[in-house]
């Protein structure tokens, strides 16, 4: 919390306007009120973009105030997503492939009756898997929402057969 307070105070001092809808989003406008920069902050991740002299000046001052270990251009990780921008077309691609690859598969017993209730370890494994899938559905994969919702509805006492549907 202390880091964000310092960061947001510095950003506001550099004329970044904090969003009323989301305090982790900031906008930078020039003297004609045109949007020249936008910035998102989450924990210790910052995603920033813009153009023009006002933006370049504000960016240089932020970089001086916060000498982050890495300042990447045109590609990088932000909140579990890999973003890449084409410097010619400005098109942005977002991928969560590395996040998906790290999602834990639920650990469900194989040689048991499908009608048996899952044990505590299996339920914990399901919760972990469903939590990651929920975040993924919320961020960029709304097509997963139904499956995640159905998985959550079986909790806290899923059968082995129900638990197996999550790993599919």
């Amino acid at each position: 919390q202390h880091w964000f307070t310092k960061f947001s105070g510095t950003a506001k001092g550099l004329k970044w306007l904090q969003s009323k809808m989301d305090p982790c989003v900031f906008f930078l406008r020039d003297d004609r009120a045109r949007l020249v920069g936008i910035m998102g902050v989450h924990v210790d991740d910052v995603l920033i973009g813009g153009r023009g002299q006002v933006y370049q000046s504000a960016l240089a001052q932020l970089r001086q105030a916060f000498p982050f270990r890495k300042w990447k251009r045109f590609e990088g990780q932000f909140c579990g997503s890999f973003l890449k921008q084409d410097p010619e077309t400005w098109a942005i691609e977002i991928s969560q492939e590395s996040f998906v690859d790290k999602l834990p598969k639920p650990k469900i017993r194989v040689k048991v009756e499908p009608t048996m209730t899952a044990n505590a370890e299996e339920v914990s494994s399901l919760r972990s898997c469903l939590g990651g899938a929920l975040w993924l559905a919320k961020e960029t994969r709304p097509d997963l929402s139904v499956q995640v919702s159905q998985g959550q509805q079986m909790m806290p006492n899923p059968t082995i057969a129900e638990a197996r549907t999550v790993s599919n």
Side-chain angles (χ1 to χ4, degrees):
Q1 188 70 10
H2 171 71
W3 179 88
F4 182 75
T5 303
K6 181 180 176 187
F7 188 88
S8 64
T10 301
K12 289 177 196 175
L14 297 172
K15 300 188 179 171
W16 288 87
L17 304 171
Q18 196 167 23
S19 170
K20 293 176 184 168
M21 301 279 286
D22 185 340
C24 296
V25 175
F26 295 81
F27 305 101
L28 183 64
R29 298 192 177 276
D30 65 13
D31 56 358
R32 290 197 261 170
R34 293 179 301 193
L35 183 65
V36 295
I38 189 165
M39 175 170 53
V41 182
H42 183 265
V43 186
D44 62 352
D45 273 353
V46 178
L47 180 66
I48 188 169
R51 63 180 167 183
Q53 185 54 42
V54 172
Y55 168 75
Q56 291 299 330
S57 176
L59 177 61
Q61 291 175 67
L62 272 176
R63 289 181 76 157
Q64 186 175 12
F66 298 94
F68 293 126
R69 191 170 36 101
K70 296 178 187 173
W71 282 90
K72 295 188 175 188
R73 295 188 68 208
F74 299 111
E75 68 178 47
Q77 292 280 129
F78 183 71
C79 296
S81 296
F82 180 78
L83 293 93
K84 183 175 183 177
Q85 184 175 36
D86 184 308
E88 292 182 24
T89 67
W90 301 104
I92 299 172
E93 293 179 25
I94 299 174
S95 170
Q96 290 183 310
E97 188 173 348
S98 63
F99 178 82
V100 171
D101 289 344
K102 293 176 190 171
L103 271 178
K105 299 275 186 218
K107 296 174 183 135
I108 310 300
R109 292 172 287 167
V110 177
K111 297 181 180 181
V112 296
E113 285 296 314
T115 56
M116 288 181 64
T117 301
N119 64 31
E121 185 178 315
E122 290 165 327
V123 169
S124 176
S125 175
L126 281 171
R127 281 196 173 109
S128 178
C129 179
L130 288 167
L134 176 63
W135 184 84
L136 187 62
K138 178 182 76 73
E139 293 299 313
T140 60
R141 293 287 313 274
D143 57 303
L144 298 176
S145 297
V146 171
Q147 293 97 320
V148 173
S149 176
Q150 289 172 339
Q152 290 174 322
Q153 289 174 31
M154 72 174 90
M155 296 304 221
N157 300 308
T159 66
I160 294 296
E162 291 170 327
R164 288 179 182 154
T165 65
V166 173
S167 62
N168 294 335

